[in-house]
Amino acid sequence: MSTIDQAAPAADTPKSVPGHVIYRRVLAERTSYALAAAGIAVGPQLDDSVLSYLASGGLAAGTIAWLYAKTKDPDQGLDVITRAQRSIPFLTAAGTYLANLITPGFNWWEVLAPAAWAGLMGWMAPLTRSAGLVLELTEHQEQLADGGPREPVTYEEFLAAKWAHATGGETRLVSVQPYRADRPDFEAVIVAQAGKAVPNYTETQLAAAFDFPLGTVALRPVQGSGPGRMRVVARPTTEDTERAAEGLRGLWETAVCRPGGAAPGVQLVDYRAEAHRIVLLVASPAGKEIRLPHTAICSAFGIDDPSRLVIETDGIRMGVVSVYKTNPLMKVRKATVEDLTMDSKGRITIGICHDGKPARMRLWDPSQGALRGITAGVTGAGKSVLQNLILAAEKRSGVVSWVGDVQGGMSLPEAEGRVDWFAKGPVETLIMLTVAHAVMKYRERISNEMGRGDFALGKPWPLINITLDEINRLLSHPDEDMRKLAAYLIADIQKTGRKVGIGIRLAVQSLHLKDLGDDDAIRQQGKVGALFLMRTASSSTKEMGLDGIAPTGFQMENIPARIYENGQIEALFSGKDDEDGESTAGMAYMFLDGRAKFMRTFFAQKVDGVYPDLIELYGEDPVTGLTDGEAKVAAGAAELYTLRHSNPFADCDTLAQAFGGAKKSAGASAQSEQSDTDGDDDGGGEAAALFDAPFGAPFGAEAEPGEEPGLQDQIYTLLADGPMSLKDLREALPGFQPSSVSNACTQLKAKGLAKPVKRGVWQRDN
């Protein structure tokens, strides 16, 4: 038998083979053409000897002879056309090879011709076609070819066939929609014959029709249709949340959207069941604003933990209602360095949203500059953890962080020594704001000279973010001058600091105007940036925070102090202690870019009054400070900035206590000369001298009739009897803070009226 006969065995009758056999043969044939084409192109360039001519010519001549012989022998079982089909690749390959051999040198077509030959032969696949292979049919396909019964080939068709077989064809199962591809659960519509109603099938009949467990198949009416159409819901394996979703659809129709319900007219458009959450897509009627009262919907669904139901709207007519088995934020993880690393858009991750997405906020906005913000929440709501997360992120991102802890350093002790300026108490916080205002004016002046109207990070200044914790204590301070000055400085920085890279955040317990210096601008400007509403003590604080920024139709319920896995009412009924619940510290509604997000900050464990996890997140790198030019801003600001780590006025509640004199007008200005200090001086003397004229009466001034002498005068009088220790001086002056007595002694030294005998002991210097 010839080579050609071996390549493709003769077959008088078609041979049935599976589809993959035909595919493999065609692939092998096309691969051989590609390899042969490479040989046809390269071979003539490497060897043009007589043997090459004889081999290629012999192949062509042998093929022609074979074809001629086969046409003379009809007993072979193949007609002339089939034999010619087999000879095509051999004759054309030999002809192309001979043409390349005969042509002297190298021509471009000597490569193109073999490639074209391989492409044509691959498309024709003449050897496989001439083999007489036929695709083998399956048993099912043979039945269809013979006109036999057609078996269902999809799950939907299978269910429809089972229903028809079980009911005898009196109704049809249409619009079958499986819930998940890997489970048998589905929803469909049963259609009766024209003019007839769907029979009242029992649960047993429905379960038997699909061979599902009893009680897992139920009939429901089709909204807008008569008794001739019914909806069948089959859930033999899906989770409880999906069964609950079906129940919620019914609850929505009967208790929410009906007239007199929780949200009349708001229709349930679609819903989705997840492992621990059911998501409802709802919409108000066209032309109506969406209104979704949180408490009323919780009541309709029988939810006693309002944090298990989260409402979000587009502010027009669409909304998403998320219903959770348990509070989705009951447990959250700890923060990582990656979370607190600022991205190119100025964002960091500070927690987790209710739907599992990261809760992100901006340290600054590349398109707007520095940002403002307010965090409102009662003690224990989680403000300190949130502020520490932000401050740690700022330190790692090269931001200059200034912190005013009006509670004397007790609110954010983790930040002390880890930010550029940690001011303790109302006086130091006011001094820090004064310096910040001076730096802002300096940046404004330089920006005007440069012709710039915005802020670029690091060009030429770093971003400064000021965090003021428990600022209500300063803005509602009984000292009118301090209160007014603080309100002015904060409001002015809020209004104009953005364009020069100075942002300011307030952490408060109350948003009432009386607690914000009677300045509505402070509240309104703070809400322009990031607003965090945590657990608050009154509904008025919540409403003040939402006013002007909450999306239309949004309603927020106050976050409870504790949440319980099985609900608060069950805990009360079972007699559990309050401590058995989970604290909601860190839960908040975050308002950014016109959207409200229910979230919780990352978890942090307090140990011995501090958060070691948060301290670790600050890292060991040095903090970022002001540039040299900024540190020399104004006559008084430079000296105050150099004293920022000494906390000279941490125990002072008023400027009178800090600087020992009767307060003068806040608009007065003067400056005292600095003097060197010894080991007993804590740095307060220089700062006190700077503020002696603006806020304190000059030493030696006569007191008005009936007015008590200033602190310096009283100390100077006490020292007339000889040296006295600071301890004795403080005991003799119980009406003043201990640090104020120490500062007054330093001021007396600067004026040449007193000097330290030894550490902690003072006498007159005369």
Side-chain angles (χ1 to χ4, degrees), residues 249 252 266-271 280-284 317-319:
R249 176 188 283 274
W252 190 272
V266 179
Q267 297 294 323
L268 178 59
V269 178
D270 197 4
Y271 69 88
L280 309 176
L281 177 65
V282 300
S284 64
R317 63 179 296 261
M318 302 295 293

Side-chain angles (χ1 to χ4, degrees), residues 251-266 291 293 296-297 299-300:
L251 277 175
W252 190 272
E253 295 171 356
T254 58
V256 179
C257 68
R258 65 173 179 80
V266 179
R291 298 289 178 183
I297 296 176
S299 177

Side-chain angles (χ1 to χ4, degrees), residues 154-407:
T154 65
Y155 183 59
E156 291 82 352
E157 292 174 343
F158 169 75
L159 292 173
K162 291 199 72 171
W163 179 259
H165 178 74
T167 61
E170 60 179 349
T171 57
R172 293 180 296 116
L173 192 71
V174 300
S175 301
V176 180
Q177 297 180 352
Y179 289 112
R180 290 175 51 170
D182 59 340
R183 294 187 178 182
D185 308 70
F186 70 92
E187 183 177 313
V189 176
I190 299 174
V191 181
Q193 296 178 3
K196 295 185 178 181
V198 175
N200 187 20
Y201 297 111
T202 65
E203 288 188 354
T204 302
Q205 290 173 318
L206 293 170
F210 303 106
D211 195 23
F212 286 169
L214 187 64
T216 61
V217 187
L219 287 183
R220 297 284 186 271
V222 177
Q223 189 173 5
S225 298
R229 300 170 66 88
M230 295 291 289
R231 189 161 55 95
V232 60
V233 179
R235 301 180 183 275
T237 64
T238 47
E239 300 174 6
D240 293 339
T241 52
E242 294 178 338
R243 295 191 182 94
E246 180 60 28
L248 283 178
R249 176 188 283 274
L251 277 175
W252 190 272
E253 295 171 356
T254 58
V256 179
C257 68
R258 65 173 179 80
V266 179
Q267 297 294 323
L268 178 59
V269 178
D270 197 4
Y271 69 88
R272 183 178 76 256
E274 299 176 353
H276 301 287
R277 172 193 182 204
I278 299 169
V279 189
L280 309 176
L281 177 65
V282 300
S284 64
K288 300 289 186 181
E289 289 185 356
I290 191 165
R291 298 289 178 183
L292 296 171
H294 191 278
T295 303
I297 296 176
C298 284
S299 177
F301 288 164
I303 297 174
D304 66 340
D305 179 0
S307 60
R308 285 179 48 209
L309 187 137
V310 181
I311 298 175
E312 299 167 288
T313 74
D314 63 355
I316 305 175
R317 63 179 296 261
M318 302 295 293
V320 173
V321 180
S322 298
V323 183
Y324 292 90
K325 281 184 175 181
T326 59
N327 188 294
L329 301 174
M330 185 168 287
K331 300 292 183 182
V332 292
R333 63 177 176 85
K334 294 182 179 181
T336 64
V337 174
E338 290 72 22
D339 293 321
L340 304 183
T341 300
M342 184 172 64
D343 63 14
S344 60
K345 297 181 179 180
R347 301 176 304 178
I348 60 171
T349 301
I350 55 173
I352 303 296
C353 292
H354 70 93
D355 55 4
K357 297 178 181 178
R360 294 190 178 97
M361 65 164 289
R362 287 188 176 96
L363 298 181
W364 80 296
D365 191 332
S367 63
Q368 297 184 24
L371 299 175
R372 296 149 284 185
I374 290 183
T375 300
V378 298
T379 301
K383 299 191 302 297
S384 297
V385 172
L386 173 60
Q387 303 305 318
N388 270 299
L389 288 170
I390 299 173
L391 292 171
E394 289 178 349
K395 182 174 183 292
R396 291 185 173 275
S397 303
V399 178
V400 179
S401 297
W402 288 4
V403 178
D405 189 338
V406 187
Q407 200 176 358

Side-chain angles (χ1 to χ4, degrees), residues 82-95:
T82 302
R83 300 176 194 281
Q85 188 178 18
R86 291 189 179 185
S87 65
I88 288 175
F90 298 95
L91 287 174
T92 53

